[in-house]
């Protein structure tokens, strides 16, 4: 097949932006403007047209340089090759040098130079270029720059950025006794820099570019880091997404849940110093009620992960022995190092689930696209080459991921008869996948070996990997059709491509629809790089682009949730300057503004305000004579107005309602009048308003809960002193019961152990669509799929010992309980094997439930001689919406001016306490006032002092609930209330009554 090229409007605009700028918008001019003043004026006009910022005139020296931004997958190489053709045809420029950062990208550009030569000559109706790839071993090629022929030289920056490069050496013979580089400098070429952030971001790169003596430099990238050069044209990720010039982005993440059977520990972020101590946040299985959940746990040196998670499976890790902020890891006493993304044990499960999902998505897409002539490709990035290809004395063999792929592919392919319709159904599995890696060539002493490359794309080994792919790029796009001999090729049958890092950049196959990365975070690809490999619009067997939003979706199989992927992608775009989420003081600085010849800029002209977002002064058909920029002072003044008018918050965050108002003509007039008061003219103000309304589409911010300080009214109230003296005594408890009775109750009583429910381990896959907006990356969940896991590599867990250690009963007792239960249910032990960690957790809770019943019968409290200090009662802060304000008439009856409550029922109860005459004093008990119980510490709600008949004082500890019926409460609540009754029994607190559950004040016996 042969790729058919098409004219795309945005690519033509990119070319036109350069030509117009260099010609001063004069269609009759046939040479590039060299006068700095005229060129600078033309640049300002271009920036005005694109609502751009003027960076100052430093870009003109020592030679003019310009940025052009093209999103990955939108044809950056095509754009600058078309620009070369336009510069040659319009201005007669003949000498061009394309500088790239790596051998890898060089190979891709070389392929385009070869394939596009005839096409570009035809569409521009001009002569064909000659091109060569600079090679220090063929230095004579540089003599091509001596004549007037149309020449393009392609080179890497590494070929001429050092004094030791051959091109920079002085020669006494040949090249007229000078340097080979002189052949280039004498021609005063136009230089194209592909990915300038990797070419000349350092001094050596800038010096090398300058040594070429360029007439002008055009810089093409998706992520420009150096903003000192005018941005003549921008076609960023949001533009490409909106205009359907790239595929939509979809993520599929797999969340593995082994219920703690595999005690994973993953460093969730780089360690940091907090309050003077080095801390690390790790993801681990934390025990909660009768389940395990993955939670973030903060650790410092010497901490026990087992204690932090209440999970005994982490006992084997021991204490934290080291937190390394430089190398980003946490080390435990058993030697295990937790690193970013290192899900010990579960990683293999994750890889299996993600690869299986990729294979299924791939062949499902093939079924839909086969008849449209679109071949589907999948790209899988590996952590290590040896995991795909192993080298033995008998030659290369499949590594573990190649074996896994072949097993899963065969399994999925034969899982449904519908797949028999696939052209590739009978192609051997060994032929549908292959790995392309950098390699060391064979020598006499060793065979050819593929190896992990550095991923910089600047080594010969990287180039060898690219050559394998580029040699038959069209072949990879060719569908295999049984019976058609011309499609019976290795490339046509190949659909799944494995690579290490050789395909990181410079290789964009339009028919890649699935991308999976199996890599540790240290060598993982950035999200934009992952996406970039599959953004291009696919082509059919006629080489034609196929535009179909429904089918044109690239799926990224992420090792994070879809929310994390979208958030991470947004941060990457923001870091690159592609998203703006704040308006700071210099946000509008250098914004280009054109002022009308006949407008007094100190006067306000209502005619300049229209119902759309474009001010009339920007009409390119209008006569103008002044082009200027918004100054930093003007920008700061207008930002202050935006804050005053609640368009942005104090920290610069856009406010939805404020941004929305700016689209109103009346509001626009109001802002122009306000701006005039601080010396801003109407046209500059309109330009700044337009920039905001075009760029920002902000979400309504969520209201944050304000915290309020709550003060004490009177700490020396005699009623408070009396009440506190009665209730402040601390207590201890003790219990004793017979173990045989416990065993019988667990096996044969109510809620026996045989009735506990165990669930299977799961892998939940979530598919979500990523949406790109001007100021954020959004996501929308599409569907979820839950797979039950049957994993044969679970670590052995001694459930008997673990349950015994945590319940306090003997191992013999636990073994007896299990064996006796097995007699009642002969599948019971098989259930334990299905999910031993969850069994351990739920069996422990079941046993503790039976213990509770016996505990309640044998629970005894005694005072321990200690008391709660009244000095602990002090002012506190709480969320404003949780505070109930005590009315003035009640301030003498309680300690605080406001009471922290948890419900409307508590508010009503507090109000009743204020209103009830018999209640002389009440106190909402602080969270530290706790009663120890076998079921956890218990914090009752209220302490109350009442007077009956004006003389007899009554003292209460009260727990309020939404019901006064004990049976309506959860079991744990019932247990704690029963323990509270025991603690405040007449034998312990003679003068205090414990009342619970209480719903209204009328429930108290006063």
């Amino acid at each position: 097949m042969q790729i058919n090229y098409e004219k795309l409007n945005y690519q033509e605009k990119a070319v036109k932006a350069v030509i117009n700028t260099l010609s001063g918008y004069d269609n009759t001019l046939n040479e590039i403007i060299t006068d700095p003043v005229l060129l600078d004026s033309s640049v300002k006009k271009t920036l005005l047209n694109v609502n751009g910022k003027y960076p100052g005139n430093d870009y003109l020296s020592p030679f003019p340089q310009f940025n052009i931004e093209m999103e990955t997958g939108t044809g950056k190489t095509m754009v600058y090759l078309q620009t070369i053709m336009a510069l040659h045809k319009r201005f007669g420029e003949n000498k061009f040098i394309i500088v790239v950062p790596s051998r890898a990208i060089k190979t891709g550009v070389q392929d385009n130079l070869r394939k596009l030569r005839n096409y570009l000559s035809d569409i521009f109706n001009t002569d064909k270029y000659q091109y060569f790839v600079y090679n220090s071993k063929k230095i004579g090629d540089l003599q091509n720059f001596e004549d007037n022929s149309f020449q393009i030289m392609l080179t890497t920056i590494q070929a001429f950025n050092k004094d030791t490069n051959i091109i920079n050496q002085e020669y006494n013979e040949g090249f007229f006794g000078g340097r080979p580089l002189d052949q280039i400098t004498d021609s005063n070429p136009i230089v194209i820099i592909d990915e300038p952030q990797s070419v000349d971001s350092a001094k050596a790169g800038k010096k090398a570019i300058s040594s070429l003596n360029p007439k002008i430099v055009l810089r093409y990238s998706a992520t420009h880091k150096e903003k000192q050069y005018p941005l003549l044209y921008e076609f960023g990720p949001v533009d490409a997404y909106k205009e359907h010039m790239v595929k939509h982005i979809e993520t599929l993440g797999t969340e593995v849940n082994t219920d703690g059977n595999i005690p994973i520990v993953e460093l969730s972020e780089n360690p940091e110093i907090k309050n003077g101590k080095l801390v690390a946040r790790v993801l681990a299985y934390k025990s909660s009620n009768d389940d395990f959940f993955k939670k973030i746990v903060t650790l410092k040196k010497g901490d026990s992960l087992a204690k932090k998670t209440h999970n005994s499976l982490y006992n084997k890790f021991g204490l934290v022995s080291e937190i390394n902020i430089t190398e980003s890891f946490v080390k435990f006493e058993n030697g295990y190092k937790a690193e970013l993304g290192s899900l010990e044990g579960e990683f293999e499960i994750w890889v299996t689930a993600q690869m299986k999902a990729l294979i299924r998505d791939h062949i499902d897409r093939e079924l839909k696209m086969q008849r449209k002539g679109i071949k589907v490709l999948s790209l899988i990035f590996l952590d290590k080459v040896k995991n795909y290809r192993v080298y033995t004395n008998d030659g290369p063999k499949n590594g573990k991921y190649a074996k896994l792929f072949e097993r899963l592919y065969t399994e999925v392919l034969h899982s449904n008869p519908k797949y028999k319709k696939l052209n590739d159904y009978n192609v051997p599995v060994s032929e549908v996948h292959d790995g392309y890696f950098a390699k060391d060539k064979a020598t006499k002493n060793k065979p050819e070996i593929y190896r992990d490359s550095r991923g910089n794309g600047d080594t010969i080994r990287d180039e060898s990997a690219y050559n394998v792919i580029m040699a038959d790029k069209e072949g990879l796009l060719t569908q295999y059709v049984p019976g058609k001999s011309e499609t019976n090729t290795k490339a046509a049958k190949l659909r799944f491509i494995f690579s290490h890092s050789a395909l990181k950049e410079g290789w964009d196959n339009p028919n890649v629809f699935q991308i999976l990365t199996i890599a540790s975070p240290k060598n993982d690809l950035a999200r934009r790089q992952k996406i970039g490999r599959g953004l291009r619009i696919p082509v059919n067997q006629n080489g034609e682009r196929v535009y179909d939003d429904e089918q044109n979706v690239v799926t990224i199989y992420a090792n994070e949730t879809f929310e994390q992927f979208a958030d991470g992608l947004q941060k990457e775009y923001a870091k690159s300057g592609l998203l703006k989420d704040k308006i700071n003081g210099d946000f509008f600085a250098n914004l280009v503004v054109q002022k009308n010849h006949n407008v007094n800029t100190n006067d306000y002209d209502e005619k300049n305000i229209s119902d759309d977002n474009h001010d009339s002064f920007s009409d390119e058909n209008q006569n103008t004579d002044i082009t200027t920029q918004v100054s930093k002072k003007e920008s700061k003044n207008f930002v202050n107005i935006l804050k005053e008018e609640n368009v942005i918050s104090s920290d610069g965050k856009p406010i939805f309602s404020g941004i929305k108002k700016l689209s109103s003509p009346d509001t626009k007039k109001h802002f122009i009048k306000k701006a005039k008061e601080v010396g801003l003219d109407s046209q500059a103000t309109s330009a700044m308003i337009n920039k905001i309304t075009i760029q920002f589409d902000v979400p309504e911010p969520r209201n944050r809960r304000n915290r309020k300080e709550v003060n004490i009214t009177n700490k020396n109230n005699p009623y408070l002193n009396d009440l506190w003296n009665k209730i402040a005594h601390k207590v201890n408890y003790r219990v004793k019961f017979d173990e045989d009775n416990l065993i019988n109750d667990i096996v044969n009583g109510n809620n026996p152990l045989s009735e506990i429910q165990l669930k299977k381990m799961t892998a939940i896959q979530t598919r979500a669509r990523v949406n790109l907006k001007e100021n954020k990356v959004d996501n929308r969940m599409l569907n979820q799929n839950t797979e039950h896991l049957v994993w044969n590599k679970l670590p052995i867990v001694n459930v008997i010992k673990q349950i015994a250690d945590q319940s306090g009963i003997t191992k013999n007792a636990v073994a007896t309980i299990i064996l006796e239960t097995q007699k009642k249910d002969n599948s019971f032990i098989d259930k334990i094997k299905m999910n031993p960690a969850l069994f351990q957790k739920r069996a422990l809770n079941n046993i503790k439930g039976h213990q509770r019943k016996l505990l309640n019968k044998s629970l005894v409290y005694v005072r321990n001689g200690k008391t709660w200090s009244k000095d602990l009662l002090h002012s506190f802060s709480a969320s404003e919406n949780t505070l109930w304000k005590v009315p003035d008439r009640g301030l003498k009856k309680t300690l605080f001016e406001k009471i922290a409550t948890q419900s409307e029922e508590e508010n009503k109860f507090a109000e009743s306490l204020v209103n009830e005459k018999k209640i002389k004093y009440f106190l909402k008990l602080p969270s530290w006032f706790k009663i120890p119980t076998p079921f956890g510490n218990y914090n009752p709600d209220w302490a109350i002092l009442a007077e009956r008949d004006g003389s007899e004082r009554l003292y209460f500890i009260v727990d309020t609930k939404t019901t006064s019926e004990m049976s309506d409460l959860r079991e744990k609540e019932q247990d704690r209330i029963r323990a509270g009754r025991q603690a405040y029994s007449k034998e312990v607190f003679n003068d205090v009554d414990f009342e619970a559950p209480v719903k209204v004040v009328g429930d108290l016996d006063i």
Side-chain angles (χ1 to χ4, degrees):
M1 67 171 293
Q2 183 175 346
I3 301 293
N4 287 325
Y5 304 103
E6 60 181 305
K7 291 186 177 181
L8 298 172
N9 185 49
Y10 68 90
Q11 293 181 348
E12 291 181 349
K13 286 182 178 179
V15 175
K16 189 176 180 182
V18 173
I19 301 300
N20 284 343
T21 301
L22 298 180
S23 66
Y25 289 82
D26 183 347
N27 291 329
T28 65
L29 200 66
N30 58 8
E31 61 182 25
I32 292 175
I33 295 176
T34 56
D35 180 88
V37 175
L38 294 177
L39 182 58
D40 194 45
S41 176
S42 182
V43 166
K44 289 176 181 178
K45 186 169 184 178
T46 299
L47 296 176
L48 179 70
N49 292 339
V50 297
N51 198 29
K53 288 187 175 184
Y54 178 68
N57 61 8
D58 288 346
Y59 72 91
L60 292 166
S61 178
F63 40 81
Q65 297 195 61
F66 306 100
N67 286 343
I68 297 92
E69 181 178 305
M70 303 296 299
E71 171 61 355
T72 302
T74 60
K76 174 187 61 180
T77 307
M78 172 67 86
V79 168
Y80 66 66
L81 290 181
Q82 287 190 22
T83 303
I84 287 174
M85 298 300 294
L87 289 167
H88 169 67
K89 181 175 182 179
R90 175 72 182 275
F91 305 122
E93 296 293 332
N94 287 329
K95 304 303 177 185
F96 297 86
I97 299 176
I98 301 172
V99 184
V100 298
S102 66
R103 292 174 180 268
I105 294 179
K106 181 186 72 175
T107 306
V109 175
Q110 181 182 358
D111 187 60
N112 279 301
L113 281 169
R114 176 177 60 85
K115 292 174 180 175
L116 290 169
R117 185 168 176 261
N118 292 332
Y119 169 75
L120 292 174
S121 175
D122 291 342
I123 65 170
F124 280 90
N125 192 27
T126 188
D127 50 320
K128 297 181 178 69
Y129 54 75
Q130 302 298 319
Y131 75 93
F132 68 96
V133 179
Y134 171 72
N135 186 332
S136 60
K137 295 179 180 178
K138 299 179 180 179
I139 204 74
D141 288 344
L142 293 178
Q143 293 181 8
N144 294 327
F145 265 60
E146 284 185 326
D147 56 30
N148 291 323
S149 62
F150 183 13
Q151 290 281 342
I152 300 175
M153 183 180 96
L154 172 63
T155 181
T156 63
I157 187 67
Q158 292 83 7
F160 66 101
N161 66 350
K162 296 183 289 290
D163 292 338
T164 54
N165 291 130
I166 290 175
I167 198 172
N168 292 319
Q169 300 297 305
E170 290 279 353
Y171 289 88
N172 293 325
E173 297 180 2
F175 296 103
F176 310 104
R179 299 177 307 162
L181 185 67
D182 294 339
Q183 302 294 310
I184 295 173
T185 59
D186 292 344
S187 68
N188 196 205
I190 292 177
V191 174
I192 308 291
I193 303 181
D194 191 330
E195 305 294 353
Q197 72 277 6
S198 301
V199 168
D200 70 342
S201 57
K203 289 183 179 179
K206 285 181 168 57
K207 180 181 177 182
I209 296 297
S210 184
S211 73
L212 299 176
N213 187 32
K215 181 176 293 184
I216 59 170
V217 175
L218 301 175
R219 310 161 63 86
Y220 291 82
S221 177
T223 53
H224 286 288
K225 290 184 178 179
E226 300 195 48
K227 311 293 185 182
Q228 68 267 36
Y229 309 112
L231 183 61
L232 301 186
Y233 184 75
E234 178 181 12
F235 195 71
V238 178
D239 303 308
Y241 181 81
K242 284 182 176 179
E243 296 195 24
H244 310 282
M245 289 300 163
V246 291
K247 295 190 187 87
H248 289 280
I249 304 163
E250 180 180 274
T251 67
L252 188 137
T254 295
E255 185 178 351
V256 177
N257 182 7
T258 62
D259 292 311
N261 283 286
I262 299 175
I264 58 100
V265 187
E266 175 193 357
L267 188 64
S268 62
E269 57 190 67
N270 290 321
E272 62 178 352
I273 297 174
K274 197 170 184 180
N275 298 327
K277 292 184 178 180
L278 191 58
V279 298
R281 289 160 59 83
V282 300
L283 182 70
Y285 278 109
K286 190 171 184 178
S287 174
S288 178
N289 297 324
D290 63 347
D291 261 313
F292 291 99
F293 299 96
K294 284 180 181 175
K295 297 288 185 182
I296 299 296
V297 180
T298 301
L299 297 174
K300 61 181 182 297
K301 189 175 180 180
D303 278 349
S304 165
L305 183 59
K307 289 183 178 178
K308 285 273 189 174
T309 58
H310 308 290
N311 187 345
S312 61
L313 291 174
Y314 290 112
N315 282 330
K316 68 177 183 179
F317 285 79
L319 304 179
V320 175
S321 61
E322 181 184 357
I323 297 176
N324 192 308
I325 195 170
T326 305
E327 299 181 27
S328 293
F329 68 79
V330 178
K331 190 174 182 181
F332 295 86
E333 285 180 328
N334 71 341
Y336 177 70
K337 288 168 68 173
E339 299 176 296
L340 289 168
S342 58
L343 287 172
E344 182 191 26
E346 287 189 353
F347 184 71
E348 191 175 347
I349 301 175
W350 176 85
V351 171
T352 301
Q354 290 289 76
M355 191 178 290
K356 188 173 183 179
L358 177 143
I359 293 168
R360 190 177 297 281
D361 285 348
H362 180 114
I363 61 178
D364 281 340
R365 277 192 172 115
E366 280 183 323
L367 272 180
K368 295 178 181 178
M369 298 186 186
Q370 186 171 266
R371 68 179 184 276
K372 298 179 181 179
I374 300 173
K375 180 181 177 180
V376 177
L377 294 174
S378 289
L379 183 57
I380 301 166
F381 287 105
L382 298 164
D383 49 357
K384 296 177 181 177
V385 172
K386 68 179 182 180
N387 285 334
Y388 180 80
R389 186 167 287 155
V390 178
Y391 297 90
T392 69
N393 293 332
D394 298 325
K397 305 290 183 184
N398 281 346
K400 65 177 183 179
Y401 290 145
K403 291 177 181 177
L404 175 64
F405 171 82
E406 292 193 355
R407 175 174 67 81
L408 294 175
Y409 178 83
T410 304
E411 179 184 319
V412 173
L413 188 66
H414 295 97
S415 65
N416 195 312
K418 68 180 181 179
Y419 297 136
K420 291 182 179 180
K421 297 177 183 177
L422 288 171
N423 290 339
D424 305 85
Y425 184 77
N426 291 315
V427 174
V429 64
S430 60
E431 296 183 33
V432 304
H433 71 101
D434 205 346
Y436 292 116
F437 314 107
K439 65 183 177 182
D440 288 334
K441 292 183 177 179
T443 66
K444 290 182 179 180
N445 300 320
K446 69 174 184 177
E448 180 178 79
I449 295 178
Y450 289 82
R451 56 183 291 168
D452 303 338
S453 67
R454 290 183 295 170
N456 298 324
D458 60 358
T459 66
I460 293 176
R461 289 193 296 269
D462 282 315
E463 187 172 17
S464 69
Y466 272 77
N467 285 334
V468 172
I469 300 171
M470 294 302 182
D472 196 8
K473 187 174 180 179
E474 284 76 11
L476 283 175
L477 295 171
T478 300
Q479 279 184 327
Y480 168 74
V481 180
K484 291 185 70 173
S485 58
E486 63 271 25
T487 69
N488 190 20
T489 64
K490 175 181 175 63
K493 293 178 181 178
L494 179 62
R495 293 134 68 210
F496 298 86
I497 301 169
F498 288 77
S499 186
H500 180 258
S501 56
L503 299 185
K504 184 178 74 171
E505 55 186 10
W507 185 84
D508 299 286
N509 191 297
N511 287 20
V512 170
F513 286 88
Q514 293 80 220
I515 300 173
L516 167 63
T517 302
I518 306 170
S520 64
K522 288 184 179 179
N523 64 3
D524 199 1
L525 304 181
R527 295 168 185 86
R528 285 197 74 191
Q529 286 179 316
K530 291 180 186 178
I531 293 168
R533 299 317 102 213
L535 279 181
R536 291 181 182 272
I537 298 297
V539 298
N540 59 22
Q541 295 305 288
N542 296 322
E544 303 163 336
R545 287 186 170 206
V546 180
Y547 296 95
D548 184 338
D549 277 352
E550 186 176 341
Q551 76 172 16
N552 290 350
V553 178
V554 57
T555 304
I556 309 298
Y557 299 81
N559 52 2
E560 55 194 342
T561 67
F562 65 93
E563 295 97 343
Q564 289 170 331
F565 185 89
D567 182 59
L569 183 62
Q570 176 164 311
K571 288 177 180 176
E572 288 180 22
Y573 280 135
K575 187 176 180 181
S576 301
L578 299 174
L579 296 178
K580 303 287 192 304
D581 62 348
K582 281 189 177 182
I583 298 176
N584 51 25
D586 61 355
F587 182 83
F588 303 102
N590 300 318
L591 182 67
V592 179
V593 182
Q594 188 165 306
K595 298 181 180 179
N596 296 64
H597 171 72
N598 59 347
V599 174
N600 182 341
T601 58
N602 290 319
D603 293 334
Y604 163 67
D605 183 359
E606 285 191 8
K607 293 179 181 178
N608 283 334
I609 309 302
S610 60
D611 289 336
D612 57 31
N613 288 329
H614 302 283
D615 194 45
S616 61
F617 76 83
S618 64
D619 187 341
E620 62 182 26
N621 295 320
Q622 211 167 59
N623 292 324
T624 61
D625 64 347
I626 300 175
T627 301
T628 185
Q629 304 87 46
V630 174
S631 69
K632 288 187 177 181
K633 182 179 179 180
E634 289 172 327
S635 176
K636 186 176 180 180
N637 287 341
F638 190 65
V639 169
N640 288 335
I641 292 173
L642 294 176
K643 290 178 180 179
E644 291 171 8
E645 297 290 325
N646 292 320
V647 174
I648 61 175
S649 63
S650 59
D651 64 350
K653 283 280 188 183
I655 299 171
F656 177 78
S657 56
I659 297 287
K660 195 173 181 181
K661 285 190 300 185
L662 288 177
S663 60
S664 162
D666 289 338
T667 303
K668 206 169 182 180
K669 292 175 185 177
H670 168 72
F671 271 85
I672 287 175
K673 288 179 179 178
K674 287 271 295 185
K676 182 181 176 183
E677 295 172 7
V678 294
L680 293 172
D681 63 72
S682 64
Q683 291 171 312
T685 304
S686 290
M688 289 187 279
I689 291 173
N690 289 343
K691 184 170 180 64
I692 299 173
T693 54
I694 291 170
Q695 182 158 324
F696 286 96
D697 175 21
V698 298
E700 186 83 56
R702 285 178 283 183
N703 293 325
R704 297 187 178 273
R705 295 179 175 179
N706 296 320
R707 295 187 69 83
K708 295 292 184 182
E709 190 75 13
V710 178
N711 299 315
I712 287 176
T713 55
N714 181 9
K715 202 169 183 178
N716 295 316
N717 188 304
Y719 284 120
L720 170 62
N721 294 334
D722 186 18
L723 178 60
W724 194 255
N725 288 334
K726 295 292 185 182
I727 67 171
H729 300 284
K730 295 184 178 181
V731 294
N732 291 338
Y733 70 85
R734 64 174 185 268
V735 293
K736 185 178 180 180
F737 57 83
D738 183 78
E739 192 169 76
D740 290 336
N741 290 337
L742 176 64
I743 293 172
N744 182 63
D745 198 46
I746 293 169
V747 176
N748 301 308
N750 293 327
N751 190 28
L753 190 64
S754 59
E755 292 183 3
I756 65 171
Q757 300 297 311
L758 295 179
K759 62 183 181 181
K760 293 180 179 179
M761 298 178 294
T762 59
I764 300 176
Q765 294 180 319
T766 304
R767 193 181 300 272
R769 182 66 57 86
V770 176
N771 297 315
L772 300 183
K773 297 184 178 180
E774 294 287 348
N775 69 308
K776 66 176 181 177
V777 177
D778 217 346
N779 63 76
R780 173 173 57 90
M781 191 171 77
L782 300 177
N783 57 62
Q784 263 187 354
N785 178 55
T786 302
E787 296 283 347
H788 289 120
L789 297 175
V790 179
W791 202 247
N792 299 320
K793 300 178 183 179
L794 292 178
I796 297 173
V797 179
N798 189 337
V799 294
I800 292 176
K801 181 179 183 302
Q802 297 288 352
I803 292 172
D805 288 347
Q806 293 177 66
S807 66
I809 63 177
T810 64
K811 289 187 285 186
N812 285 337
V814 177
T816 300
I817 291 168
I818 291 174
L819 292 173
E820 290 298 317
T821 303
Q822 174 72 10
K823 292 177 183 178
K824 294 178 62 177
D825 177 2
N826 57 17
S827 64
F828 184 69
I829 291 178
D830 289 334
K831 292 179 182 177
I832 297 175
K833 293 177 182 178
M834 180 177 72
N835 199 328
L838 192 60
F839 166 77
Q840 174 190 317
K841 180 70 176 172
R842 294 189 174 177
L844 183 63
N845 287 340
N846 181 276
I847 290 170
K848 285 185 174 181
H850 290 279
Q851 286 177 318
R852 280 197 296 270
K853 287 194 294 183
L854 298 179
L855 286 172
N856 283 321
K857 296 177 182 178
S858 55
L859 188 61
V860 177
Y861 278 89
V862 294
R863 292 189 187 183
N864 61 17
K866 300 177 182 179
T867 59
W868 295 104
S869 171
K870 199 174 74 164
D871 292 337
L872 293 172
L873 297 170
H874 50 71
S875 60
F876 63 94
S877 64
S879 296
E880 187 176 21
N881 61 352
T882 67
L883 294 173
W884 180 78
K885 188 178 185 304
V886 179
D888 291 344
R889 65 182 183 282
L891 291 176
K892 293 182 179 180
K893 298 178 70 173
T894 191
L895 182 61
F896 296 101
E897 60 185 1
K898 294 179 181 179
I899 297 173
T901 58
Q902 297 177 342
S903 64
E904 186 59 34
E905 285 76 14
E906 280 198 347
N907 292 345
K908 292 177 180 178
F909 189 81
E911 188 173 8
S912 297
L913 293 174
V914 170
N915 295 333
E916 176 56 56
K917 292 181 180 180
K918 294 179 182 179
I919 303 297
K920 300 303 179 183
Y921 202 86
F922 67 92
L923 180 68
K924 187 68 161 54
L925 291 170
S927 59
W928 46 260
F929 191 98
K930 294 175 180 176
I931 303 167
T933 83
F935 322 109
N937 288 330
Y938 175 43
N939 176 217
D941 291 323
W942 307 89
I944 299 171
L945 188 156
E947 280 188 355
R948 183 185 292 162
D949 300 328
S951 58
E952 182 186 1
R953 289 192 175 182
L954 306 173
Y955 308 92
F956 296 94
I957 293 292
V958 173
D959 204 3
T960 50
K961 302 293 180 185
T962 57
T963 177
S964 57
E965 293 295 327
M966 191 77 158
S967 59
D968 292 339
L969 303 178
R970 295 192 302 270
E971 193 173 84
K972 285 188 177 180
E973 289 181 306
Q974 294 183 38
D975 289 336
R976 288 175 180 172
I977 287 174
R978 291 190 186 102
R981 285 176 182 166
Q982 291 291 96
Y984 285 92
S985 62
K986 295 299 181 184
E987 292 80 10
V988 186
F989 287 85
N990 185 46
D991 297 328
V992 180
D993 286 335
F994 180 85
E995 296 289 343
V998 170
K999 187 176 181 181
V1000 294
V1001 172
D1003 292 336
L1004 301 177
D1005 184 14
I1006 54 175

